[in-house]
Amino acid sequence: MTVITDLGIAQIRDGFRNGRFSATEVASAFNAAVAGAGALNAVLVATPDHALAAADVADRERASGVFRPLSGVPIGMKDLFCTVGVPATAASHILEGFVPPYESTVSGKLWAAGAGMLGKLNMDQFAMGSSNETSAFGNVISPWKRNDGGNAALTPGGSSGGSSSAIAAHIVPAATGTDTGGSIRQPAAFTGICGIKPTYGRCSRFGIVAFASSLDQAGAMARDVRDCAILLEAMAGFDPKDSTSLDAPVPHWEAALSGNLKGKRIGIPKEYHAEGMPAEIEALWQQGIAWLKDAGAEIVNVSLPHTKYALPAYYVIAPAEASSNLARYDGVRYGLRDLPEGAGLQDMYAATRAAGFGAEVKRRIMLGTFVLSSGYYDAYYTQAMKVRTLIAQDFDKAWEQCDLLLTPTAPSAAFGLGEPQEDPLAMYLNDVFTVPASMAGLPAMSVPGGLSALGLPLGLQIIGKAFDEQGALNACLALEERAGFTARAEKWW
Ligand code: GLN
């Protein structure tokens, strides 16, 4: 018997077309799953009516033989995307009460493709974090548990942790995410799902709450590579409302999926053998190399000499841009307003921002304001921008020797909630393998490779040349076919 909530995008799409079930049945099944999974805290606002309305349209269109690419497919939306009439908070108190009067381009494209929305998903506040613990509405919990009998609640990763948890728990078949320094790939790795961050500019940033505009990219998260290709195809495309949008046609990624890597050269960057990396991550990486060889690829060793500067430079550039982007939350234009008795305008700004932003967001605003201040701008921000160029040049050099890169996605499996939280710098290390591709604007994807000794998912990352999402998808498909990852969290919620 088919359990509808176990189906992915392609299976729902095809089953719906073949008349095996109606879109309304699908939406109802997922709506019920969302309603029953409150313990995960993955969903901030459930939108069952949105999913049902889209399903109703799909069912009526099917009756007259009309199918759109995502007809009958309901999905989850990270709460960073504005959708008309549904609260968008970016998981921050400062946006409480804000109901967008406009639609993000990405969500608009998804609805036009026939998809419906199951809910707005929890995340790290303003997408700043790697564990979902910076959400103002409580952390998301991973459906996964360690196999050592411990009952510790684990992080689903971050910042797209509501998306990763919901997909791994089968309460949504797929979801959008955003990735500034790893927020699609790291949560995907932590929860045993796939996630792709496309080339910078592929997906419009219009209507996505801004964190660091030169790095932010929307992308697709789902349980397999094919579903990511389908979802991303519906999300991507030129948008005149985003000045950094890529004016190029969207390739037919799903149609060109192939796990045959004959003729492809895959680079292994030696600098990613990070100090102190657990042996099981190193072993998985070696296994990944063997799988890619088996798929016909040639493996070459490459060097990305400036890798170690990527993380420090990211934590100058991203906070700098964030401090500028978040200046708009002043109690006047959006959401929260804290107006103490007799307060003037400055006092209102200060009171609103003090009450509305979480600790990590404040830390980044202060850091960013500092590195942009006169006297320090050249010492920090300009230097970091130069490092960014060197990192991009490292990749350009590597592309002379190879077509794609294989690395682990994250330096560890999912950790327990509360574990490294005390030390913000330890948390930043989560992004050590994902940040460089973000700094260079390159497409990168995480695919599950296996389980850790404690029974937790581990991910492998493929980084591609600019515009080569297809290369990344295909290499991930080759890994997926060989990893045969079918492990699934046992239901406890
Ligand atoms: N964890 C990284 C950070 O905190 C990346 C976040 C993201 O990609 N949005 O900045």
Side-chain angles (χ1 to χ4, degrees), residues 75 121 157 166 210 280 289 305 330 335 344 357 407 412 433 443 452 459 464-465:
I75 56 162
L121 305 178
E280 60 189 7
I289 292 172
D330 53 9
F357 289 133
T407 79
S412 73
F433 300 142
S452 73
K465 296 176 191 171

Side-chain angles (χ1 to χ4, degrees), residues 78 127-130 158-159 178-183 211 314-315 364 431:
K78 185 176 184 178
M128 299 174 187
S130 302
S159 64
T178 65
D179 192 312
T180 303
S183 278
F211 163 14
Y314 171 86
Y315 277 100
R364 305 234 185 160
D431 309 320

Side-chain angles (χ1 to χ4, degrees), residues 137-161:
F137 306 110
N139 51 260
V140 179
I141 299 177
S142 172
W144 291 87
K145 296 273 190 206
R146 290 180 181 139
N147 63 9
D148 60 358
N151 205 27
L154 300 179
T155 175
S159 64
S160 309

Side-chain angles (χ1 to χ4, degrees), residues 210-434:
F211 163 14
S213 307
S214 76
L215 294 155
D216 297 344
Q217 253 308 283
M221 301 171 77
R223 285 190 295 271
D224 65 30
V225 173
R226 176 173 299 272
D227 284 2
C228 282
I230 297 169
L231 187 59
L232 188 64
E233 219 171 294
M235 295 167 67
F238 176 63
D239 178 12
K241 290 188 205 148
D242 171 0
S243 60
T244 59
S245 172
L246 191 62
D247 192 357
V250 179
H252 296 297
W253 290 308
E254 186 196 7
L257 279 178
S258 160
N260 181 349
L261 303 183
K262 232 177 167 55
K264 290 280 175 201
R265 295 161 306 164
I266 314 265
I268 308 300
K270 71 165 189 261
E271 290 78 7
Y272 281 55
H273 293 279
E275 212 181 296
M277 185 160 83
E280 60 189 7
I281 302 272
E282 183 67 43
L284 176 79
W285 195 7
Q286 294 307 320
Q287 177 64 72
I289 292 172
W291 283 331
L292 293 178
K293 272 190 194 154
D294 183 58
E298 181 195 334
I299 303 294
V300 293
N301 290 315
V302 300
S303 172
L304 300 169
H306 297 92
T307 298
K308 69 167 182 270
Y309 304 113
L311 205 61
Y314 171 86
Y315 277 100
V316 170
I317 293 168
E321 296 186 18
S323 72
S324 166
N325 273 326
L326 272 58
R328 74 189 70 180
Y329 305 106
D330 53 9
V332 177
R333 285 167 282 195
Y334 304 87
L336 188 76
R337 171 177 301 167
D338 196 336
L339 186 58
E341 214 21 60
L345 193 60
Q346 286 294 340
D347 302 321
M348 182 186 79
Y349 292 162
T352 300
R353 291 166 70 82
F357 289 133
E360 181 62 26
V361 176
K362 287 176 184 162
R363 182 178 297 127
R364 305 234 185 160
I365 291 173
M366 285 193 284
L367 208 60
T369 306
F370 176 76
V371 301
L372 290 177
S373 58
S374 100
Y376 296 104
Y377 189 96
D378 285 335
Y380 293 102
Y381 186 70
T382 307
Q383 282 295 98
M385 290 301 278
K386 287 181 183 167
V387 170
R388 185 174 188 175
T389 301
L390 291 173
I391 288 162
Q393 288 172 351
D394 277 359
F395 282 109
D396 286 342
K397 274 231 167 72
W399 302 139
E400 291 169 9
Q401 287 173 268
C402 64
D403 306 298
L404 299 158
L405 295 163
L406 172 73
T407 79
T409 307
S412 73
F415 43 87
L417 288 163
E419 272 172 21
Q421 204 180 2
E422 292 309 306
D423 179 2
L425 291 181
M427 190 65 89
Y428 295 171
L429 281 177
N430 270 282
D431 309 320
V432 64
F433 300 142
T434 49

